[in-house]
Amino acid sequence: MKNLRDHLGTARLRHAIVLGTGLASVAGTQADDHIIPYSEIADFPSVDVSGHAGALLLRRAGELYDAYLLGRAHYYESGNAAVMKGAIGALAACEVQSLILTCAAGSTRAHLAPGAIALIEDHINLSGTHPLIGETGDRRFVPMVDAYDPALRARLKAAAQESHMAMQNGIYMWFSGPSFETPAEIRMACAMGADLVGMSTVPEVILARFFGLPVAALALVTNFAAGISGGAPTHEETKRVAAQGAQNVAHLLTAFLAQEP
Ligand code: HPA
């Protein structure tokens, strides 16, 4: 099977953008898009959650290409917290300039209502696992201050302002899933300082930092977390609200991608 480098040939990458649950439509389609199923790229994951596509879309951006990852694999699918390591490592080896993650998330705060877009500024890893367990050597001791790249965050904020879109900041707490949280767990998350809860993103941020890749993450709030404002989340609701909010995320990313010289 060909690796990402061989698929790209001489093409060079600009941004890689991971589109989470219900958000595959953010990429839209353009006439000269090149789409490669993950199953044809060495080290990319198999994706098996409804709402996740499992293909890489390459789109020209001047001299370079943006790579949209249509769907991700999650820890809860296999028990492997490093399930995205191959894909993120391959992107880093191809010298992608940055990784922009998107995800659907539950909100623990009244001001982050369903439909809101939040820029993740930091995270809490509550999962009890870690994608670098088993790594050897000093590289595994990855610093996590400013893990969410300040320069990329500033550019995403500017993009939101330019496109007159409201964007909040939030701290994201990683729960393993696949069950949704209990109301008691959400009360704990809230007390610990989490604004957003979800089942992805955190291991990918750690892996990106491990590979030295600047990373930022946007969460689309699809629901109030369990017990908040009557929240009783379901996967159907997550997919439905994500699909409704996808256009706003697309709008924001379009403004971000247009910032490049
Ligand atoms: N909890 C965990 N993950 C989620 C949620 C939630 O409430 N909503 C979307 N992804």
Side-chain angles (χ1 to χ4, degrees), residues 8-248:
L8 290 176
T10 57
R12 286 184 303 129
L13 296 178
R14 186 177 65 157
H15 301 292
I17 301 157
V18 177
L19 298 177
T21 303
L23 292 171
S25 71
V26 164
T29 47
Q30 290 182 12
D32 56 352
D33 283 346
H34 188 56
I35 298 182
I36 314 165
Y38 289 168
S39 58
E40 293 174 15
I41 315 174
D43 303 323
F44 271 57
S46 57
V47 167
D48 186 26
V49 184
S50 63
H52 290 266
L56 184 74
L57 184 155
L58 296 171
R59 176 171 299 158
R60 227 191 156 92
E63 299 285 290
L64 306 176
Y65 283 83
D66 290 327
Y68 291 84
L69 282 76
L70 309 179
R72 56 158 56 90
H74 304 77
Y75 169 61
Y76 62 72
E77 292 170 62
S78 61
N80 175 13
V83 66
M84 291 296 285
K85 187 176 176 197
I88 295 172
L91 289 162
C94 291
E95 292 173 20
V96 73
Q97 293 174 6
S98 71
L99 181 66
I100 309 294
L101 305 170
T102 66
C103 64
S107 160
T108 69
R109 310 284 179 209
H111 72 278
L112 286 170
I117 297 176
L119 182 62
I120 300 178
E121 51 185 346
D122 203 348
H123 73 225
I124 301 170
N125 177 3
L126 193 89
S127 69
T129 188
H130 195 285
L132 299 178
I133 287 176
E135 275 305 318
T136 55
D138 286 356
R139 268 181 74 213
R140 72 186 126 170
F141 301 112
V142 179
M144 292 298 289
V145 174
D146 283 339
Y148 296 77
D149 188 72
L152 282 175
R153 281 193 281 147
R155 287 179 48 192
L156 284 160
K157 271 184 204 160
Q161 268 159 15
E162 281 159 25
S163 46
H164 306 288
M165 296 185 57
M167 190 174 66
Q168 321 279 336
N169 286 325
I171 307 287
Y172 178 101
M173 185 177 271
W174 178 31
F175 282 87
S176 74
S179 70
F180 285 98
E181 301 74 29
T182 64
E185 286 166 343
I186 293 301
R187 284 194 297 277
M188 174 203 66
C190 224
M192 286 177 139
D195 308 304
L196 303 157
V197 295
M199 307 178 194
S200 66
T201 305
V202 166
E204 294 155 31
V205 168
I206 296 168
L207 288 165
R209 296 313 301 137
F210 177 68
F211 289 114
L213 202 53
V215 61
L218 292 169
L220 174 67
V221 174
T222 52
N223 56 279
F224 282 117
I228 304 281
S229 299
T234 64
H235 188 55
E236 282 61 44
E237 179 188 40
T238 300
K239 285 190 292 184
R240 181 172 44 77
V241 182
Q244 286 164 3
Q247 229 180 351
N248 287 337

